[in-house]
């Protein structure tokens, strides 16, 4: 608090896994949040906050502090068909924000839904050398393959400089430490050694009053004003950095092997780069000098109009997203009892996720649509094995 999205990390990342979107307009948001901003750039290229609400909508508040507003989502079914005539439907979400507590939202406000991702393998991703990302980037598409991955250069609070973004759906956090601190503040309302203020917008009188009472109590008890102190904060950073990823499964299965070949033939590996080697001098010994298979290049790619949120973040445009890692997604159902994928959870499984791909991934999507039912099943079996 005083305003927040969840009461704990595990509320959005159950079992260190993946959140899901609401299934109806009446269901509250938990595991799904809305980022906010207005056109323009803030300090160091960051998004400009919305007056009264900041950069993230927080639909809950502690006693005596109004929640900022109530978000809801409804889905429209979109019909389509594979080239063999097999029909499918997709769910297109529409978001609404009602009951604003701190003034009307500006007409120019931009919103972006973000589902809580798995938090496995983060330290391994941070240990991929920057030189590797630079080698994979091809912003001008000089090789002519239709894929122009870009590094999102974002503000690193510790380094006080722009660094490659690796975490978040648009690659807007450069390190696990900064990602953890941002989640503590934005999602739960907890200040930390890295981000020690910013829980309340200047227009939120009750929120500010609550903070003042908290500071007075801290002074009276001679305790620190930070809501998570250095020791516990660093423990969460270490935990988040060293959560392991699951081993590949069924890799000798003929269907899985056929699906892997189809994955490459369709060009999916152009963004979902299968493997990397981590740095030999990474911060944590446990992640050093390893060959890993996350199936991501950690770069920004234009995913087309259907997936665009229209909200720029540092160098990321309103239609660009960071390639999400694929490791562990085949176990989402076992871990979290659902199969909702994509940045906002709109896809009800791998097939729908592929069918939402556009922009630079359009040709890969069309290759999938042209496959036979047997080939599609093989490709999905491969994805489920990662």
């Amino acid at each position: 608090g005083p305003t927040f999205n969840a009461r704990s990390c595990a509320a959005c990342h159950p079992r260190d896994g993946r959140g899901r979107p609401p299934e109806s307009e009446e269901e509250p948001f938990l595991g799904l949040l809305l980022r906010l901003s207005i056109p323009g750039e803030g300090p160091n290229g960051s998004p400009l906050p919305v007056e009264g609400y900041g950069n993230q909508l927080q639909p809950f508040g502690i006693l005596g502090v109004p929640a900022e507003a109530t978000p809801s989502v409804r889905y429209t079914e979109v019909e389509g068909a594979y080239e063999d005539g097999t029909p499918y439907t997709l769910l297109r979400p529409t978001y609404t924000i009602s009951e604003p507590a701190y003034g009307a939202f500006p007409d120019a406000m931009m919103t972006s839904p973000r589902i809580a991702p798995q938090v496995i393998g983060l330290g391994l991703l941070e240990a991929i050398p920057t030189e590797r990302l630079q080698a994979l980037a091809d912003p001008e598409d000089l090789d002519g393959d239709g894929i122009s991955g870009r590094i999102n250069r974002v503000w690193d609070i510790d380094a006080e400089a722009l660094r490659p973004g690796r975490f978040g759906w648009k690659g807007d956090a450069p390190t696990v430490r900064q990602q953890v601190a941002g989640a503590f503040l934005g999602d739960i309302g907890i200040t930390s050694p890295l981000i020690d203020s910013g829980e309340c917008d200047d227009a939120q009188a009750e929120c500010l009053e609550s903070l003042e009472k908290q500071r007075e109590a801290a002074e009276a008890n001679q305790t620190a004003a930070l809501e998570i102190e250095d020791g516990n904060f660093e423990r969460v950073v270490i935990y988040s950095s060293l959560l392991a990823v699951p081993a590949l499964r069924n890799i000798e299965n003929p269907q899985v092997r056929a699906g892997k070949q189809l994955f490459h033939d369709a060009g999916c590996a152009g963004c979902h780069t299968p493997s990397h080697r981590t740095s030999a001098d990474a911060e944590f010994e446990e992640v050093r000098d390893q060959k890993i298979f996350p199936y991501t290049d950690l770069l920004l790619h234009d995913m087309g109009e259907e997936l665009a949120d229209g909200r720029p973040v540092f160098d990321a445009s309103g239609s660009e997203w960071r390639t999400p890692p694929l490791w562990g997604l085949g176990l989402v159902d076992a871990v979290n009892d659902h199969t909702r994928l994509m940045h906002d959870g709109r896809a009800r499984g791998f097939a729908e996720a592929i069918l939402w791909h556009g922009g630079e991934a359009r040709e890969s999507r069309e290759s999938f649509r042209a496959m036979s039912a047997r080939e599609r099943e093989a490709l999905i079996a491969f994805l489920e094995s990662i």
Side-chain angles (χ1 to χ4, degrees):
T3 58
F4 55 94
N5 291 86
R7 296 180 182 274
S8 68
C9 304
C12 294
H13 305 277
R15 300 173 186 165
D16 302 314
R18 185 180 176 86
R20 67 164 180 84
E23 296 180 351
S24 69
E25 290 188 64
E26 293 73 31
E27 186 177 343
F29 278 37
L30 188 60
L32 177 69
L33 58 81
L34 293 179
R35 293 283 173 86
L36 310 174
S37 59
I38 57 174
E41 288 188 0
N44 308 308
S46 61
L48 279 176
V50 177
E51 184 176 357
Y53 300 93
N55 283 121
Q56 183 168 309
L57 188 73
Q58 295 167 325
F60 304 104
I62 62 174
L63 186 65
V65 178
E68 292 183 347
T70 301
S72 62
V73 59
R74 61 180 176 83
Y75 297 97
T76 303
E77 288 209 356
V78 179
E79 296 182 349
Y82 295 101
E83 286 195 7
D84 64 8
T86 304
Y88 61 77
T89 60
L90 304 176
L91 297 181
R92 177 182 288 121
T94 301
Y95 296 91
T96 303
I97 307 176
S98 59
E99 303 175 276
Y102 302 103
F105 296 112
D107 293 337
M109 185 174 75
M110 300 175 286
T111 63
S112 182
R114 310 286 178 85
I115 204 76
Q118 297 166 298
V119 289
I120 56 174
L122 301 186
L124 293 167
L125 296 178
E126 187 169 350
I128 298 172
T130 297
E131 294 77 13
R132 169 65 166 166
L133 305 185
Q134 293 169 334
L136 290 171
D138 184 17
E140 305 301 325
D141 191 21
L142 296 180
D143 61 7
D145 65 354
I147 299 173
S148 54
R150 302 193 305 121
I151 293 173
N152 192 6
R153 298 197 176 276
V154 304
W155 187 250
D156 185 323
I157 298 173
D158 277 320
E160 296 186 336
L162 293 173
R163 294 285 187 267
R166 298 168 185 259
F167 306 105
W169 285 102
K170 284 186 177 273
D172 51 359
T175 63
V176 175
R177 190 166 187 265
Q178 190 163 319
Q179 177 74 6
V180 168
F184 266 130
L185 186 73
D187 301 346
I188 312 179
I190 291 178
T191 53
S192 67
L194 190 61
I195 306 178
D196 59 7
S197 63
E199 305 102 303
C200 306
D201 185 271
D202 290 343
Q204 299 179 354
E206 295 91 345
C207 185
L208 293 169
E209 182 181 352
S210 174
L211 287 184
E212 184 58 32
K213 290 179 179 178
Q214 177 182 311
R215 293 190 188 100
E216 291 173 355
E219 291 175 2
N221 295 319
Q222 296 184 327
T223 58
L226 291 177
E227 293 162 309
I228 183 169
E229 298 177 338
D230 289 61
N232 284 335
F233 177 71
E234 295 302 333
R235 288 183 178 94
V236 177
V237 173
I238 293 169
Y239 177 77
S240 301
S241 297
L242 299 182
L243 279 171
V245 296
L248 299 174
R249 301 165 303 285
N250 304 320
I251 55 177
E252 298 302 326
N253 181 293
Q255 184 188 40
V256 170
R257 294 174 69 88
K260 180 178 180 179
Q261 186 62 54
L262 289 165
F263 179 87
H264 285 268
D265 291 346
C268 304
C271 300
H272 291 283
T273 306
S275 66
H276 306 273
R277 181 161 290 280
T278 61
S279 172
D281 58 359
E283 178 182 0
F284 297 108
E285 180 180 357
E286 294 88 343
V287 302
R288 293 175 188 164
D289 197 23
Q290 295 186 36
K291 188 173 184 180
I292 60 173
F293 294 84
Y295 286 87
T296 176
D297 58 10
L298 294 180
L299 300 178
L300 298 173
H301 294 278
D302 188 328
M303 294 300 292
E305 187 61 32
E306 285 282 12
L307 292 180
D309 64 354
R311 181 178 181 269
V313 179
F314 292 98
D315 290 338
S317 75
S319 59
E320 288 181 313
W321 300 93
R322 181 212 60 161
T323 307
L326 297 182
W327 55 14
L329 289 185
L331 293 174
V332 170
D333 191 20
V335 174
N336 297 126
D337 301 317
H338 70 83
T339 56
R340 302 301 287 265
L341 303 175
M342 303 299 286
H343 67 279
D344 54 6
R346 68 175 66 188
R348 295 167 291 188
F350 282 113
E352 290 188 21
I354 296 169
L355 292 167
W356 273 115
H357 281 51
E360 296 176 40
R362 181 182 180 279
E363 289 190 15
S364 295
R365 178 196 70 200
E366 291 306 300
S367 293
F368 180 67
R369 286 188 62 251
M371 292 178 188
S372 67
R374 183 176 180 180
E375 290 172 327
R376 297 195 299 269
E377 290 169 1
L379 176 56
I380 292 171
F382 165 65
L383 295 173
E384 290 174 341
S385 76
I386 297 176

